[in-house]
Amino acid sequence: MPQQDSHARTALVVIAHHRPDSLTAHTARRAAARLENAGYRVDLLDLHAEGFDPRMNVADQPEWGDRDRKYSDETHAHMRRLLDADVVVAVFPVYWQNVPAILKGWIDRVWNYGFAYGRSTPRLAGKRILWLGLAGATADDPVTEGMRTVLTSLSEGIAHYCGLSHSTIGLLSDADGRLLVGDAVAGAEREAHYAAFDQRAREYVEKFLAEETVTA
């Protein structure tokens, strides 16, 4: 069992998938377990299961002349969870080379003006984030590099802009279990395929934890 105490660091693990039995949810749970074993208290945020509404609304629309604006209660609750976290791990399927709408909407509403940016001293300064994106494309598909480019731009445009100290992209290709288009993996080959997939996901988390040790 992981050893935790009242001073344990907190990891906010964000799941952005509508199915609890998805590979995305499975990957998020395994990442959460590894973080717990490393001594983190894990706050598991399943955006769909918690009914998060990704649509921007009047209550959460930023006012550029008021960085202390009172946003909606839902948004402030999520802001508190983000503030309480030392590290964030976002786990999501890659849709059209980008994050799914629910994750983008969470960023739009929660990483808001006056909170995540717009201050001389960023409130999220010192925090670290790992973006674990699951892609159906194979590793050698040319589209995969485009995904990595878009996600890297997202990392720089959001995490670095908001003052986080470190942001890492973990792109997990071959997520749909196909070695060739139309040729699904089955049986022992399928088990080996997903065992290797789990190992790659774990390696991203391990590297993320190791980088914290180096930069601490």
Side-chain angles (χ1 to χ4, degrees), residues 62-126:
E63 289 185 5
W64 308 120
D66 182 9
R67 67 181 184 182
D68 296 313
R69 171 178 168 76
K70 171 69 175 176
Y71 295 111
S72 68
D73 290 343
E74 180 184 29
T75 289
H76 276 284
H78 281 266
M79 287 176 173
R80 173 49 56 189
R81 293 170 78 171
L82 188 54
L83 272 182
D84 287 346
D86 298 285
V87 300
V88 180
V89 178
V91 190
F92 56 93
V94 178
Y95 290 165
W96 293 108
Q97 303 194 39
N98 212 323
V99 298
I102 196 165
L103 181 55
K104 179 57 166 61
W106 181 70
I107 294 168
D108 289 344
R109 290 183 60 199
V110 179
W111 298 51
N112 214 327
Y113 176 69
F115 170 71
Y117 65 97
R119 293 180 180 274
S120 57
T121 302
R123 289 181 171 175
L124 303 182

Side-chain angles (χ1 to χ4, degrees), residues 12-213:
L12 179 64
V13 178
V14 184
I15 308 174
H17 199 288
H18 53 284
R19 288 180 52 174
D21 62 346
S22 64
L23 182 59
T24 300
H26 165 80
T27 301
R29 289 190 295 267
R30 287 180 64 90
R34 178 64 192 94
L35 288 160
E36 286 181 339
N37 287 334
Y40 282 90
R41 183 186 72 84
V42 173
D43 178 6
L44 195 62
L45 169 54
D46 187 328
L47 293 172
H48 281 279
E50 294 193 19
F52 181 80
D53 187 348
R55 297 173 297 178
M56 180 55 75
N57 54 58
V58 173
D60 294 322
Q61 182 177 343
E63 289 185 5
W64 308 120
D66 182 9
R67 67 181 184 182
D68 296 313
R69 171 178 168 76
K70 171 69 175 176
Y71 295 111
S72 68
D73 290 343
E74 180 184 29
T75 289
H76 276 284
H78 281 266
M79 287 176 173
R80 173 49 56 189
R81 293 170 78 171
L82 188 54
L83 272 182
D84 287 346
D86 298 285
V87 300
V88 180
V89 178
V91 190
F92 56 93
V94 178
Y95 290 165
W96 293 108
Q97 303 194 39
N98 212 323
V99 298
I102 196 165
L103 181 55
K104 179 57 166 61
W106 181 70
I107 294 168
D108 289 344
R109 290 183 60 199
V110 179
W111 298 51
N112 214 327
Y113 176 69
F115 170 71
Y117 65 97
R119 293 180 180 274
S120 57
T121 302
R123 289 181 171 175
L124 303 182
K127 300 184 187 299
R128 304 168 68 253
I129 187 168
L130 170 62
W131 310 84
L132 274 181
L134 284 71
T138 58
D140 59 356
D141 190 323
V143 76
T144 303
E145 191 56 38
M147 293 178 186
R148 192 181 308 279
T149 298
V150 171
L151 294 177
T152 299
S153 177
L154 177 85
S155 168
E156 295 174 351
I158 296 175
H160 294 164
Y161 182 72
C162 293
L164 276 74
S165 63
H166 192 78
S167 180
T168 298
I169 298 296
L171 182 59
L172 293 161
S173 58
D174 302 282
D176 74 348
R178 296 174 185 271
L179 298 180
L180 298 171
V181 175
D183 184 16
V185 180
E189 188 178 20
R190 177 183 175 84
E191 292 182 10
H193 175 83
Y194 282 112
F197 184 93
D198 281 344
Q199 180 60 31
R200 285 190 287 128
R202 181 183 176 88
E203 287 172 358
Y204 275 123
V205 177
E206 294 286 359
K207 183 178 179 181
F208 181 67
L209 291 171
E211 288 170 344
E212 180 184 38
T213 302

